[in-house]
Amino acid sequence: MNGKPHRGLVRSEHRRVRSGEDFDIIIGLLGFWTLVLFVVTVWMEVTGQPALGWALGLLAMVLALYGLIRLRRRLPERTATRRK
């Protein structure tokens, strides 16, 4: 061997790092919509409108966010740099 890493190995490492970054993006979007659902649920409760559906949706979002954060911890840290 000439000391260069195998091309397939580099690609798989890059893919693993990208998957971690993709999870970060998904967690961010899910966190934003969880916050929106929280505000809507509180508003519905304060104004006396039916809020059970909103609260159940909020519960589902919080559980999904919790699961994604736990899954994200198993993936490698973000080490890739962005191309300019």
Side-chain angles (χ1 to χ4, degrees), residues 58-84:
L58 177 61
L59 176 64
M61 293 289 278
V62 167
L63 291 176
L65 189 60
Y66 175 74
L68 282 176
I69 290 172
R70 284 185 50 111
L71 183 61
R72 174 62 180 100
R73 289 182 183 167
R74 295 182 187 167
L75 296 174
E77 292 294 321
R78 294 187 330 168
T79 57
T81 59
R82 296 202 179 264
R83 294 181 187 175
K84 292 182 182 181

Side-chain angles (χ1 to χ4, degrees), residues 40-65:
V40 169
T41 303
V42 168
W43 178 257
M44 297 295 271
E45 286 289 342
V46 168
T47 59
Q49 300 176 28
L52 179 62
W54 294 105
L56 291 175
L58 177 61
L59 176 64
M61 293 289 278
V62 167
L63 291 176
L65 189 60

Side-chain angles (χ1 to χ4, degrees), residues 15-45:
R15 188 171 289 162
R16 287 172 70 194
V17 173
R18 275 194 54 116
S19 71
E21 291 177 5
D22 292 344
F23 265 86
D24 291 341
I25 293 169
I26 294 169
I27 288 170
L29 287 171
L30 199 61
F32 170 76
W33 288 110
T34 302
L35 180 64
V36 168
L37 267 177
F38 176 75
V39 170
V40 169
T41 303
V42 168
W43 178 257
M44 297 295 271
E45 286 289 342

